[in-house]
C-alpha cells in the first residue's frame, strides 16, 4: 500500500512541484523525426516475478526488464513522467532475509550499480563531464512543464540523485533463445535517474511515457521504433490475462469488430487531444459523463468530471461524492456487506457469507468534443461505454507472506476504489487505473498530439496462443501484424501487410545515439518550451 501511495505521490510531485530536472542550462537534442522504415514492437505487460523462486508473489504487472547484464526488474509505465527512474537497491534494501525479500517485492526487483557491467555515471562536476558527454535523460522534460507553473525558485527534487546510462533490455532476458515467443529489445547507453533516498516518494521502478518521453525519443533515435507513439492493452486481473504494450504503433486486432483501423485524428469520435486541459496533471484525459452500478446513478445529477488514465494506479480514484455513492450503492445492492474502512488503495468490506459481487460498473466517456456525428460502432453520440466487470473491482482481501505468497482472508473483500482524492494536493487528480484500463485499448500518438480510447477486443486466438506458450502469457503480437503511428504524410509510402513502409527520412547516423553524447545537440537557456 505504502509503495503504491508513493507511486501516485511521485506522479503529483512530478507535475505539481517539478520545474525542469536540470541545472541552469541543459542540452537538448532536436526531437527525432519518425523513422518509418522501422516496424513497431510489442512487449508483454504481465506479472513478472523478480525472485529466483517463481512461486513467490508478484506485486503488480509491469514490463520484464534487465539492466547492466542480468539484473532483473519489473518496471511500471507512467504517463506522468518523461524520465526513467530506477530505485537503488543498495540504498533501499538491507541484507536480513525478510527485509531484503520485502524490499525486492515492493520495489519490483533489485538493481545495484556496483554489479552492472555497463553502468556509466554522469559526472557531477562540469569540469568532469567531457569524459561522458551531455546527459540526455532529462533533456526534454516538457511533458509536465505546461502544468508545473514553472517557478525558478522551486527546488528541483531530483537534482541530487545520480544520473547516467546503462544497457536496457525489455521484454525478455538478453540470453533468450532465438526461438523464444518473446524476443528482447535492447537499447545501449539508455539514460536513467537513480533514486538513492529510501524516504523519497517513489514506489517502484518507472518507465516514463509522457508526451516528451525519454524512452520513446531514445527508441526512435536508436532505430528501435518508428515514432513517438504507444498503445496499451492492460490485461485483466480475474481471470489473469497479461496485457501488451506496443511501442511506435498499435495492434488493430485489439479494436472492436468493424472498427476503422485509423490512427487518432481530429475527425475520429474516439480521439482526444493530449493535455486537453493543462490545469489537470496528466496527458491522457477523458470526460466521464455517466457512472452506473447495478442501476444506481453514481453522478446523481452532478456535473461530468475529467479523469486521468494512469497505468501506475491499481484502482479507481474518484471524486469524493462519487466514491461515497459507490460504497453506498454497493451496500444497498448487497445488504450482507459491512464497510470497514477505506484506504489509499481499496475499500474493505466484511461479510458472514462468501458472496460474489455480480454488478458491473459502467462508465460513459464523452466522445470527441469537437464532433457531433453518429459513429458506425456500437457506441453513439452519447459517448463511449466501458463496462468493468465486478471481477476486476472486487477480490478476497489479501495479505503478503514473503515465503509462500499471498494469503487470503475469509469473509473479507477488497474493492479497488480508494481514497486518494482525500489528499489536498491530489484533489483534482481523479484517476482511472487498472480496473478501467482492463476494459480499454488506449492508443497514443504524440506525433499528432492525440490519443484514442476504445473498448478492448480480446479473442480466442489470443487465448490459444498463450496456452501454446506454456500458460505463462509471455507471448506478444508479431511486428508484421502491428500498425505504425506518426507516419502519415511522409513521401514514398508503400503499403505492405497491415502497416506502411516509408523511404528513410533520416540517415542512420542521425537516427542513432553514439553513446551518451547524442547527435546534433544544442545548448539552450532553461525556460519553458511548448509544442
Amino acid at each position: 500500500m505504502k509503495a503504491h501511495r508513493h507511486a501516485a505521490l511521485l506522479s503529483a510531485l512530478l507535475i505539481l512541484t517539478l520545474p525542469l530536472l536540470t541545472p541552469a542550462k541543459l542540452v537538448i537534442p532536436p526531437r527525432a523525426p519518425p523513422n518509418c522504415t522501422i516496424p513497431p514492437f510489442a512487449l508483454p505487460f504481465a506479472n513478472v516475478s523478480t525472485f529466483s523462486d517463481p512461486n513467490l508473489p508478484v506485486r503488480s504487472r509491469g514490463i520484464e526488464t534487465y539492466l547492466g547484464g542480468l539484473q532483473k526488474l519489473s518496471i511500471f509505465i507512467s504517463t506522468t513522467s518523461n524520465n526513467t527512474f530506477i530505485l537503488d537497491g543498495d540504498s533501499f534494501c538491507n541484507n536480513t532475509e525478510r527485509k531484503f525479500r520485502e524490499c525486492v517485492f515492493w520495489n519490483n526487483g533489485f538493481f545495484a550499480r556496483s554489479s552492472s557491467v555497463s553502468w556509466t555515471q554522469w559526472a557531477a562536476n562540469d569540469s568532469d563531464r567531457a569524459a561522458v558527454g551531455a546527459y540526455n535523460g532529462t533533456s526534454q522534460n516538457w511533458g509536465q512543464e505546461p502544468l508545473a507553473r514553472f517557478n525558478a525558485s522551486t527546488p528541483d527534487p531530483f537534482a541530487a540523485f545520480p544520473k547516467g546510462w546503462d544497457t536496457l533490455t525489455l521484454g525478455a532476458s538478453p540470453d533468450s533463445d532465438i526461438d523464444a515467443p518473446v524476443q528482447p529489445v535492447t537499447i545501449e547507453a539508455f539514460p536513467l535517474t537513480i533514486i538513492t533516498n529510501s524516504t523519497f516518494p517513489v514506489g517502484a521502478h518507472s518507465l516514463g511515457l509522457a508526451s516528451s518521453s525519454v524512452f520513446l525519443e531514445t527508441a526512435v533515435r536508436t532505430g528501435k521504433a518508428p515514432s513517438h507513439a504507444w498503445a496499451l492493452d492492460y490485461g485483466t486481473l480475474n481471470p489473469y490475462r497479461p496485457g501488451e504494450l506496443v511501442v511506435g504503433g498499435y495492434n488493430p486486432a485489439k479494436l472492436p469488430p468493424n472498427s476503422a483501423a485509423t490512427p487518432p485524428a481530429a475527425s475520429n469520435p474516439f480521439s482526444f487531444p493530449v493535455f486537453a486541459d493543462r490545469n489537470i496533471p496528466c496527458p491522457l484525459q477523458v470526460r466521464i459523463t455517466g457512472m452506473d452500478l447495478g442501476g444506481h446513478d453514481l453522478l446523481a445529477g452532478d456535473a461530468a468530471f475529467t479523469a486521468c488514465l494512469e497505468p501506475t494506479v491499481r484502482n479507481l480514484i474518484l471524486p469524493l461524492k462519487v466514491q461515497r455513492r459507490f460504497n453506498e450503492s454497493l451496500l444497498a445492492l448487497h445488504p450482507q456487506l459491512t464497510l470497514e474502512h477505506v484506504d489509499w488503495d481499496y475499500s474493505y468490506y466484511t461479510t458472514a457469507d462468501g458472496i460474489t459481487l455480480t454488478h458491473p460498473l459502467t462508465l460513459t466517456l464523452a466522445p470527441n468534443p469537437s464532433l457531433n456525428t453518429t459513429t458506425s460502432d456500437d457506441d453513439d453520440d452519447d459517448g463511449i461505454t466501458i463496462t468493468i466487470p465486478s471481477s476486476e473491482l472486487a477480490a478476497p482481501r489479501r495479505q503478503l507472506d514473503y515465503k509462500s505468497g499471498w494469503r487470503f482472508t475469509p469473509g473479507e473483500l477488497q474493492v479497488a476504489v480508494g481514497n486518494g482524492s482525500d489528499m489536498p494536493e491530489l484533489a483534482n487528480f481523479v484517476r482511472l487505473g487498472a480496473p478501467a484500463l482492463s476494459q480499454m485499448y488506449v492508443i497514443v500518438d504524440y506525433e499528432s498530439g492525440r490519443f484514442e480510447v476504445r473498448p478492448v477486443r480480446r479473442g480466442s486466438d489470443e487465448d490459444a496462443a498463450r496456452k501454446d506458450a506454456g500458460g505463462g502469457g509471455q507471448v506478444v503480437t508479431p511486428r508484421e501484424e502491428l500498425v505504425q503511428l506518426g507516419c502519415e504524410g511522409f513521401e514514398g509510402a508503400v503499403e505492405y501487410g497491415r502497416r506502411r513502409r516509408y523511404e528513410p527520412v533520416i540517415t542512420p547516423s542521425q537516427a542513432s545515439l553514439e553513446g551518451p553524447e547524442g547527435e546534433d545537440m544544442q545548448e539552450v537557456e532553461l525556460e519553458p518550451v511548448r509544442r
Side-chain angles (χ1 to χ4, degrees):
M1 310 299 181
K2 180 179 178 182
H4 180 211
R5 179 177 179 131
H6 278 176
L9 279 173
L10 174 62
S11 296
L13 176 66
L14 284 166
I15 295 162
L16 301 176
T17 68
L18 178 62
L20 296 170
L21 306 183
T22 48
K25 291 196 174 189
L26 42 83
V27 178
I28 302 176
R31 181 165 173 168
N35 188 347
C36 296
T37 60
I38 300 169
F41 64 86
L43 298 167
F45 189 63
N47 289 349
V48 179
S49 176
T50 54
F51 294 95
S52 57
D53 181 351
N55 295 317
L56 287 174
V58 174
R59 175 186 169 192
S60 57
R61 66 189 66 205
I63 303 296
E64 184 172 334
T65 303
Y66 296 82
L67 283 174
L70 294 176
Q71 296 192 59
K72 184 179 180 182
L73 312 174
S74 177
I75 194 166
F76 285 170
I77 56 177
S78 171
T79 69
T80 55
S81 172
N82 285 314
N83 306 303
T84 298
F85 299 104
I86 300 296
L87 308 189
D88 181 63
D90 292 329
S91 301
F92 280 70
C93 303
N94 65 31
N95 292 324
T96 63
E97 180 185 3
R98 176 182 171 83
K99 289 295 184 183
F100 181 79
R101 290 158 74 90
E102 179 179 349
C103 181
V104 170
F105 171 83
W106 286 115
N107 294 341
N108 278 1
F110 184 92
F111 173 68
R113 286 170 290 159
S114 59
S115 300
S116 172
V117 299
S118 50
W119 169 258
T120 299
Q121 186 150 326
W122 185 51
N125 300 316
D126 289 338
S127 58
D128 298 330
R129 290 176 185 166
V132 294
Y135 181 65
N136 57 328
T138 54
S139 59
Q140 289 188 330
N141 201 50
W142 315 123
Q144 295 89 20
E145 179 275 324
L147 306 169
R149 294 172 177 82
F150 176 72
N151 183 342
S153 65
T154 303
D156 173 5
F158 297 95
F161 291 131
K163 300 175 178 64
W165 304 266
D166 210 334
T167 298
L168 175 77
T169 300
L170 299 171
S173 168
D175 293 340
S176 295
D177 188 85
I178 194 170
D179 296 325
V182 179
Q183 291 299 303
V185 176
T186 298
I187 301 176
E188 297 181 353
F190 183 78
L192 304 169
T193 297
I194 308 297
I195 307 300
T196 54
N197 181 352
S198 61
T199 65
F200 195 76
V202 176
H205 316 293
S206 176
L207 184 73
L209 288 179
S211 56
S212 293
S213 166
V214 170
F215 167 69
L216 294 178
E217 175 69 10
T218 307
V220 173
R221 284 182 168 269
T222 56
K224 303 296 182 181
S227 60
H228 304 79
W230 56 277
L232 180 66
D233 168 11
Y234 189 93
T236 59
L237 172 67
N238 186 21
Y240 170 71
R241 184 196 298 263
E244 178 183 80
L245 174 69
V246 177
V247 180
Y250 68 99
N251 183 352
K254 301 289 186 181
L255 296 174
N258 304 318
S259 297
T262 57
S267 59
N268 186 335
F270 304 97
S271 168
F272 309 93
V274 170
F275 280 121
D277 184 342
R278 296 189 182 273
N279 292 310
I280 296 176
C282 62
L284 309 184
Q285 303 167 18
V286 293
R287 192 79 174 156
I288 305 299
T289 58
M291 291 187 73
D292 179 273
L293 180 67
H296 292 250
D297 180 3
L298 302 187
L299 266 59
D302 287 347
F305 60 90
T306 299
C308 303
L309 304 182
E310 179 48 64
T312 62
V313 176
R314 294 199 302 258
N315 58 357
L316 305 178
I317 300 295
L318 305 173
L320 286 176
K321 283 184 179 181
V322 179
Q323 175 205 322
R324 289 164 183 162
R325 288 191 193 113
F326 175 90
N327 287 321
E328 291 166 359
S329 299
L330 194 59
L331 291 171
L333 292 166
H334 298 279
Q336 61 271 59
L337 290 177
T338 300
L339 177 63
E340 294 295 330
H341 72 281
V342 182
D343 68 11
W344 179 273
D345 292 301
Y346 298 106
S347 299
Y348 295 95
Y349 292 85
T350 57
T351 175
D353 305 318
I355 69 166
T356 300
L357 305 187
T358 57
H359 299 283
L361 175 65
T362 301
L363 309 180
T364 303
L365 280 59
N368 184 340
S370 64
L371 299 177
N372 187 24
T373 59
T374 302
T375 71
S376 60
D377 290 273
D378 293 337
D379 302 294
D380 59 20
D381 290 353
D382 294 331
I384 305 163
T385 299
I386 301 294
T387 301
I388 306 173
S390 59
S391 58
E392 295 300 309
L393 283 168
R397 185 176 182 180
R398 62 184 188 177
Q399 295 177 312
L400 183 65
D401 184 318
Y402 295 98
K403 291 187 178 295
S404 60
W406 293 110
R407 286 189 294 106
F408 296 95
T409 306
E412 296 190 26
L413 289 177
Q414 58 185 41
V415 179
V417 175
N419 68 355
S421 52
D422 279 332
M423 299 185 61
E425 63 268 37
L426 298 179
N428 296 317
F429 196 7
V430 179
R431 284 150 293 159
L432 302 182
L437 292 173
S438 72
Q439 306 305 308
M440 299 178 179
Y441 194 54
V442 181
I443 303 172
V444 183
D445 181 9
Y446 289 137
E447 304 290 351
S448 66
R450 302 193 68 83
F451 73 99
E452 180 174 331
V453 177
R454 298 287 189 99
V456 67
R457 180 187 187 188
R458 302 185 181 102
S460 57
D461 290 345
E462 184 181 39
D463 295 332
R466 290 197 168 96
K467 184 176 180 181
D468 293 342
Q474 298 302 302
V475 63
V476 292
T477 306
R479 284 189 163 201
E480 61 268 18
E481 295 182 18
L482 303 174
V483 174
Q484 289 174 323
L485 285 172
C487 287
E488 291 70 30
F490 280 75
E491 295 182 2
V494 180
E495 287 200 17
Y496 72 103
R498 286 186 173 177
R499 62 184 178 86
R500 293 180 180 272
R501 181 176 180 173
Y502 295 85
E503 297 301 320
V505 295
I506 49 178
T507 66
S509 62
Q510 290 173 320
S512 65
L513 286 173
E514 298 290 335
E517 292 86 1
E519 294 278 344
D520 300 321
M521 304 281 231
Q522 60 182 353
E523 188 176 79
V524 299
E525 295 293 333
L526 180 63
E527 59 184 7
V529 173
R530 287 179 168 82
R531 289 194 176 87

